[in-house]
């Protein structure tokens, strides 16, 4: 009895209620920082310790191997048991285990192999080649996404609807892919779950065996389950077993991966859940931060409903900074980080969050210039990302076609039919003639041929790009390197290419910023040319991609997307780029439930902070090489003013020439801003036809300058500045 009491020591009332529930299905709404992992593991330990179940009589499902390992480690610390044989792991891991035990019934060889994502893509490419399918019309990655999406919906090829020639062909490839996998005795990740589900559904004997074995099924991060995962859990649970689902509908942010927040409502109905335990006490953050998060998420509809609270006190107010431009925003963050560091805070205990990867570039530059070590969590630094390195390689070839390293990187990317054998011959020719690979290619095919395949097409492409690059600006060269090369088209056909396209657009922004920056002698001084400017930029990119990122184990500021931050916590958190179109992302407007998922993302971001939270936005930001004027994110307006500390009311242009900081936006807007933009963002104006309104944003410049004004009842209007005839009120 004493040991049982010890096991429950330190649990709050709601945690205690969840851990000691009787034999029934339950939904535990565990908010951010409320100790949900502790609840789950203590529940397992409690069931075993009170002899309600044996360690082999339950199944615990997590989403990552790391989470499964942590769960078993905690269990071992709580109870003197061997966890080795327990059914605790990820969906894929548990399905693999079950299929290994019943491979015959599942129609698999005993030695079936698992295809990872890269292997699956290679297999699809090989099949499409055998089927003579045009890989430009049917991009292999798109086909891969289609096949996996169908499987996650629980659909084989014969059950998939097709309405036109394109969808019929996709279904045909899926069908042939299935046949190929069966012949070869392999299964991809999505197949593991689908095959396992089909086995349990089809074979009553096996289904009854596992239903009688697993009387308790415990699921972590339940809000992230997809349709098939939920159906699989329902099959295993049957009519009498108990499902203990732990999750938070307010943290469901993986809709793009198939996660279905509706599973939580279905679970409540399907399992006739009597107990919804709301674990709302937060052990991470001060109440000002939690109240801000609660206020934001309260604007979402159809929530299961909970409000985080803490006994830790109000803490510091949420700080809001309105920057003049994105450079000013980055510099503000750097200054605050330095201040916190001087006060004794470790860099590793601070995080800088952003909505999309492309936003990291200007932040990285500011940190690099300030000599602050940083680490990009769950991703690569801007100039190390594959798509950026590809684009830079094309720029390097425009500057110097004899650059063998750059040539080898992109000679067959995007794919143009140059195989290993062709490259070997090219390298042999270069060695024999003691010349560069480019010269060897020219020796072989001359000037190449427009529309040609293989090396002929590549040589023609580089010559064409070099010709087009003569006499144009650095940003236009970057545009050339991302479009004419075929990179943009390649990633547009990629299921997961959106981030990569944003990064390529940000590269153009980087070149504009670099050009506007007073960096080196590139203004045709002493005969220097734009070509020299490009060389300087390429050198700059190489330096920023160098060794500045801190190695693991060293104190460093953490940079990451909001998605990557889930499950983490930091003493101080900076959330940057809080403008409409960035956060919430502009794509959310066209997606069903998109805005609500964006709000859940904001909720996740805010609840990462323990003590101090900074929210920043900029009046102007350079995107895709052009200055854009934005309005603050609606999420900022959803936070009660009493929780906020506004660090500035009227941002002013600052000169950050020292330290090599970009001055792109300030160069674009000052000193002629007053003449070019006669009305400030937020200014009240009057129009003869539409009445009184408020200036929202500007687009374009010069004769093409347009102004967007919200005229209230008359709606949002876009007017040509030249003809608007506006009157300031």
């Amino acid at each position: 009895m004493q040991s049982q009491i010890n096991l429950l020591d330190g649990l709050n009332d709601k945690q205690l209620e969840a851990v000691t529930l009787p034999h029934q299905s339950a939904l535990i709404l565990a908010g951010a920082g409320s100790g949900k992992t502790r609840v789950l593991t203590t529940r397992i330990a409690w069931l075993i310790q009170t002899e309600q179940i044996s360690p082999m009589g339950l199944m615990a499902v997590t989403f990552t191997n790391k989470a499964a390992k942590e769960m078993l480690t905690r269990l071992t610390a709580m109870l003197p048991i061997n966890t080795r044989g327990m059914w605790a792991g990820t969906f894929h891991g548990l399905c693999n285990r079950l299929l290994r035990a019943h491979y015959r019934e599942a129609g698999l060889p005993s030695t079936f192999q698992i295809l990872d994502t890269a292997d699956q893509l290679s297999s699809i490419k090989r099949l499409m080649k055998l089927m003579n399918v045009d890989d430009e019309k049917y991009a292999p990655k798109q086909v891969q996404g289609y096949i996996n999406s169908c499987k996650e919906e629980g659909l084989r090829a014969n059950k998939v609807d097709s309405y036109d020639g394109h969808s019929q062909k996709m279904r045909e490839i899926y069908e042939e892919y299935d046949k190929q996998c069966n012949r070869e005795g392999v299964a991809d990740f999505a197949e593991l779950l689908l095959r396992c589900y089909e086995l349990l559904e089809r074979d009553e004997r096996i289904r009854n065996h596992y239903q009688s074995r697993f009387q308790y099924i415990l699921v972590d991060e339940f809000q992230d389950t997809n349709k098939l995962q939920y159906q699989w859990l329902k099959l295993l649970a049957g009519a009498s077993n108990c499902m203990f689902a732990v999750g938070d509908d307010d943290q469901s942010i993986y809709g793009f991966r198939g996660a279905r927040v509706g599973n939580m409502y279905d679970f409540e109905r399907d399992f006739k859940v009597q107990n919804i335990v709301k674990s709302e006490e937060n052990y991470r953050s001060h109440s000002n931060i939690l109240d801000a998060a609660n206020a934001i998420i309260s604007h979402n509809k159809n929530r299961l409903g909970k409000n985080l609270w803490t006994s830790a006190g109000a803490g510091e107010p949420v700080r809001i900074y309105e920057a003049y431009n994105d450079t000013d925003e980055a510099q503000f963050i750097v200054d605050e980080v330095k201040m916190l560091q001087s006060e004794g805070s470790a860099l590793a205990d601070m995080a800088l969050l952003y909505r999309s990867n492309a936003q990291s570039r200007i932040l990285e530059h500011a940190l690099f210039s300030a000599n602050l070590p940083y680490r990009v969590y769950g991703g690569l630094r801007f100039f190390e990302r594959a798509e950026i390195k590809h684009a830079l390689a094309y720029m390097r070839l425009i500057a110097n076609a004899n650059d063998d390293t750059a040539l080898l990187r992109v000679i067959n990317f995007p794919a143009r039919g140059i195989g290993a054998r062709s490259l070997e011959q090219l390298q042999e020719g270069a060695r024999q003639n003691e010349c560069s690979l480019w010269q060897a290619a020219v020796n072989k095919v001359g000037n190449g041929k427009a529309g040609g395949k293989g090396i002929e097409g590549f040589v023609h492409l580089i010559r064409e790009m070099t010709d087009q690059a003569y006499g144009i600006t650095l940003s236009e060269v970057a545009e050339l390197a991302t479009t004419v090369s075929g990179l943009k088209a390649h990633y547009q056909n990629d299921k997961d290419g959106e981030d990569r396209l944003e990064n390529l657009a940000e590269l153009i922004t980087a070149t504009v910023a670099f050009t506007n920056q007073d960096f080196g002698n590139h203004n045709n001084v002493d005969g220097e040319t734009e070509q020299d400017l490009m060389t300087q930029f390429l050198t700059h990119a190489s330096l920023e991609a160098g060794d500045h990122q801190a190695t693991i184990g060293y104190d460093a500021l953490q940079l990451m997307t909001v998605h990557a931050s889930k499950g983490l916590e930091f003493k101080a958190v900076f959330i940057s780029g809080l403008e409409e179109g960035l956060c919430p992302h502009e794509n959310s407007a066209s997606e069903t439930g998109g805005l609500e998922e964006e709000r859940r993302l904001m909720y996740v971001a805010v609840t990462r902070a323990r003590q101090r939270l900074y929210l920043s936005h900029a009046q102007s930001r350079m995107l895709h090489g052009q200055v854009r004027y934005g309005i603050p994110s609606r999420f900022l307006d959803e936070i009660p003013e009493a929780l906020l500390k506004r660090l500035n009311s009227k941002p002013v242009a600052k000169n950050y020439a020292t330290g090599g900081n970009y001055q792109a936006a300030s160069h674009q807007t000052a000193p002629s801003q007053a003449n070019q933009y006669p009305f400030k963002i937020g200014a009240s104006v009057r129009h003869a036809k539409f009445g009184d309104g408020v200036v929202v944003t500007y687009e374009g410049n010069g004769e093409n300058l347009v102004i967007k004004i919200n005229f209230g009842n008359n709606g949002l209007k876009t007017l040509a500045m030249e003809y608007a005839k506006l009157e300031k009120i």
Side-chain angles (χ1 to χ4, degrees):
M1 178 58 74
Q2 185 62 39
S3 61
Q4 290 179 17
I5 293 171
N6 291 344
L7 193 66
L8 304 176
D9 277 355
L11 297 178
N12 63 39
D13 290 347
K14 288 295 181 182
Q15 289 173 334
L16 185 65
E17 181 186 347
V19 166
T20 58
L21 281 170
H23 184 83
Q24 60 191 34
S25 291
L27 177 60
I28 315 302
L29 276 183
S34 65
K36 69 178 172 62
T37 306
R38 184 182 184 188
V39 167
L40 195 70
T41 50
T42 311
R43 170 69 171 170
I44 295 171
W46 168 257
L47 290 171
I48 296 170
Q49 192 180 59
T50 54
E51 298 180 354
Q52 297 181 56
I53 196 75
S54 78
M56 300 300 128
L58 57 82
M59 176 184 281
V61 190
T62 66
F63 268 83
T64 64
N65 289 316
K66 182 183 174 185
K69 190 176 178 181
E70 185 182 348
M71 183 190 296
L72 294 172
T73 303
R74 289 195 187 193
L75 272 175
T76 306
M78 289 180 181
L79 294 174
I81 60 169
N82 185 355
T83 59
R84 189 172 177 84
M86 286 184 66
W87 283 68
T90 64
F91 281 99
H92 292 133
L94 294 171
C95 285
N96 173 57
R97 186 170 174 179
L98 198 147
L99 289 172
R100 295 287 175 192
H102 305 282
Y103 64 89
R104 285 193 188 88
E105 294 88 344
L108 289 165
S110 60
T111 56
F112 74 87
Q113 298 300 305
I114 298 170
L115 297 176
D116 63 19
T117 306
D119 290 337
Q120 184 192 21
L121 187 61
S122 296
S123 181
I124 290 168
K125 286 178 178 176
R126 179 159 46 88
L127 174 69
M128 288 172 63
K129 195 170 182 179
L130 288 169
M131 293 176 67
N132 291 317
V133 176
D134 184 354
D135 61 4
E136 289 189 6
K137 190 174 180 181
Y138 300 92
K141 276 205 171 182
Q142 268 192 331
V143 174
Q144 183 182 32
Y146 169 83
I147 291 171
N148 290 341
S149 297
C150 290
K151 288 185 178 185
E152 286 166 3
E153 287 290 315
L155 300 172
R156 291 291 180 194
N158 60 352
K159 296 289 175 65
V160 179
D161 292 328
S162 58
Y163 305 102
D164 54 28
H166 188 273
S167 58
Q168 285 172 4
K169 178 57 73 173
M170 292 286 268
R171 185 174 69 178
E172 185 186 333
I173 298 170
Y174 177 17
E175 191 169 14
E176 291 302 316
Y177 170 76
D178 256 0
K179 291 177 182 176
Q180 178 176 279
C181 288
N182 287 331
R183 281 195 306 271
E184 296 175 5
V186 296
D188 55 54
F189 287 141
E191 180 69 21
L192 291 174
L193 189 64
L194 180 56
R195 185 75 63 122
C196 192
Y197 171 78
E198 290 172 339
L199 172 66
L200 292 171
E201 187 183 42
R202 181 177 65 246
D203 197 312
E204 186 180 2
R205 180 182 60 86
I206 294 175
R207 183 171 70 248
N208 289 340
H209 168 76
Y210 285 102
Q211 284 179 352
S212 63
R213 176 172 182 170
F214 299 127
Q215 297 171 39
Y216 285 91
I217 299 172
L218 304 97
V219 189
D220 194 13
E221 303 284 9
F222 191 75
Q223 77 279 352
D224 293 334
T225 53
N226 62 31
K227 182 179 178 180
L228 185 59
Q229 287 165 341
Y230 180 56
Q231 293 298 326
W232 181 77
L233 289 167
K234 276 177 69 178
L235 267 184
L236 278 173
S240 57
N241 292 334
C242 298
M243 185 104 77
F244 186 87
V246 182
D248 182 2
D249 57 328
D250 291 334
Q251 294 190 76
S252 179
I253 60 173
Y254 295 115
F256 64 96
R257 291 184 192 166
R260 189 174 172 272
V261 69
N263 285 348
M264 299 189 80
Y265 313 114
D266 291 348
F267 171 67
E268 191 181 350
R269 182 191 67 242
D270 295 343
F271 286 80
K272 299 178 176 58
V273 174
Q274 302 296 312
N275 275 298
I276 297 182
V277 181
K278 296 181 181 180
S279 184
E280 298 172 303
E281 185 175 359
N282 179 284
Y283 294 96
R284 177 186 298 161
S285 311
H286 288 134
S287 65
N288 280 341
I289 294 169
L290 297 180
D291 290 348
N294 289 331
I296 292 167
I297 203 65
S298 68
H299 288 78
N300 272 3
K301 299 172 184 175
N302 302 318
R303 295 172 60 229
L304 290 168
K306 65 175 189 324
N307 271 299
L308 297 176
W309 63 274
T310 182
S311 56
E316 298 182 39
V318 176
R319 291 162 166 82
I320 290 187
Y321 183 76
E322 182 178 2
Y324 175 69
N325 55 39
D326 47 0
T327 307
D328 178 24
E329 181 187 43
Q331 189 62 41
F332 161 74
I333 292 169
V334 166
D335 292 343
E336 287 296 309
V337 166
K338 284 182 174 178
M339 187 251 319
L340 291 170
Q341 191 183 22
S342 68
E343 292 176 355
S345 295
L347 289 174
D349 219 7
M350 302 179 225
L352 211 171
L353 310 185
Y354 34 81
R355 174 63 182 85
S356 65
N357 268 310
Q359 291 170 249
S360 78
R361 198 269 312 166
I362 194 159
L363 299 168
E364 286 187 57
H365 179 81
L367 293 167
F368 178 84
S369 301
N371 202 31
L372 277 171
Y374 68 91
R375 187 179 301 113
V376 179
Y377 183 91
L380 296 167
R381 287 174 295 168
F382 183 80
F383 286 112
E384 288 181 340
R385 294 166 192 164
E387 61 277 15
I388 298 301
K389 289 180 82 72
H390 290 328
L392 291 173
Y394 278 111
M395 292 177 73
R396 284 166 60 181
L397 288 173
I398 291 169
N400 173 22
N402 294 312
D403 186 334
D404 282 1
T405 305
L407 185 141
L408 284 169
R409 183 175 190 89
V410 294
I411 191 169
N412 199 41
F413 193 92
R416 50 179 64 88
I418 301 173
R421 181 66 186 139
S422 298
L423 274 178
E424 283 174 15
Q425 290 172 349
L426 205 60
Q427 287 169 321
E428 181 60 25
R431 189 186 65 78
Q432 287 179 356
N433 294 308
E434 297 184 353
C435 63
S436 67
L437 290 173
W438 169 256
Q439 193 57 54
V442 171
N443 293 342
K444 186 175 180 179
V445 301
N447 291 328
K449 188 168 69 176
K453 292 281 185 181
I455 293 173
E456 276 193 330
F458 178 72
V459 169
H460 178 80
L461 173 69
I462 300 302
R463 286 200 182 279
E464 182 188 14
M465 289 171 69
T466 306
D467 290 343
Q468 290 186 33
Y470 183 78
I472 64 176
T473 64
L474 180 60
S475 62
E476 288 170 332
V477 174
E479 183 78 42
L480 195 70
T482 59
T483 52
V484 176
S485 65
L487 286 176
K488 275 190 179 178
H490 173 80
Y491 291 120
Q492 279 165 351
N493 292 323
D494 188 340
K495 179 177 178 281
D496 303 313
E498 188 182 323
D499 264 3
R500 297 187 187 276
L501 288 169
E502 286 185 0
N503 285 331
L504 289 176
E506 183 60 24
L507 178 65
I508 296 166
T509 299
T511 57
V512 173
F514 189 84
T515 304
N516 289 335
Q517 181 191 3
D518 187 17
F519 193 104
N521 298 315
H522 58 256
N523 298 315
N524 295 320
V525 177
D526 298 327
E528 289 200 52
T529 65
E530 289 296 317
Q531 187 73 15
D532 293 317
L533 175 59
M534 184 163 75
T535 303
Q536 289 185 49
F537 175 75
L538 292 170
T539 303
H540 159 78
S542 298
L543 289 171
E544 286 215 1
D547 299 328
H548 191 68
Q549 179 165 252
T551 53
I552 293 172
Y554 287 86
D555 190 33
L557 184 69
Q558 308 293 304
L559 270 67
M560 66 193 76
T561 63
V562 179
H563 279 104
S565 74
K566 190 168 179 287
L568 304 175
E569 59 180 77
F570 303 91
K571 183 178 178 181
V573 170
F574 298 81
I575 309 173
S576 63
L578 290 175
E579 298 125 45
E580 292 289 308
L582 280 179
C583 185
H585 197 277
E586 58 190 355
N587 291 351
S588 65
S590 58
E591 297 169 356
T592 307
L595 181 59
E596 295 216 338
E597 179 143 334
E598 289 292 307
R599 191 172 279 111
R600 291 195 291 271
L601 263 173
M602 185 66 183
Y603 175 82
V604 167
V606 168
T607 53
R608 298 311 94 197
R610 294 199 302 266
Q611 295 180 17
R612 192 172 282 200
L613 176 63
Y614 294 87
L615 310 176
S616 61
H617 63 98
Q619 285 188 355
S620 69
R621 185 176 300 276
M622 191 170 289
L623 293 168
H624 306 179
Q626 294 183 329
V627 177
R628 305 272 181 93
Y629 294 84
I631 53 176
S633 169
R634 68 192 71 195
F635 303 147
L636 295 173
D637 294 332
E638 293 170 359
I639 304 173
E641 196 65 33
L643 303 175
L644 303 177
K645 180 180 181 180
R646 297 187 182 274
L647 299 180
N648 61 337
S649 54
K650 291 185 178 180
V652 294
K654 299 177 184 177
N655 187 346
Y656 292 118
T658 57
N661 289 284
Y662 291 161
Q663 299 180 56
S666 57
H667 271 280
Q668 297 265 344
T669 57
S672 61
Q673 188 182 11
N675 300 326
Q676 196 176 358
Y677 308 114
F679 308 106
K680 290 182 179 178
I681 307 292
S684 297
V685 293
R686 183 168 291 151
H687 187 269
K689 180 179 178 182
F690 302 119
D692 294 350
V694 176
V695 177
V696 174
T697 186
Y698 290 94
E699 288 181 5
N701 51 54
E703 294 179 357
N704 300 316
L705 182 66
V706 296
I707 184 171
K708 288 190 177 182
I709 302 171
N710 189 341
F711 287 104
N713 292 336
N714 285 318
L716 188 68
K717 305 292 182 185
T718 301
L719 307 173
M721 196 69 229
E722 193 175 354
Y723 306 109
K725 295 181 180 177
L726 298 167
E727 178 189 344
K728 190 174 181 180
I729 301 176

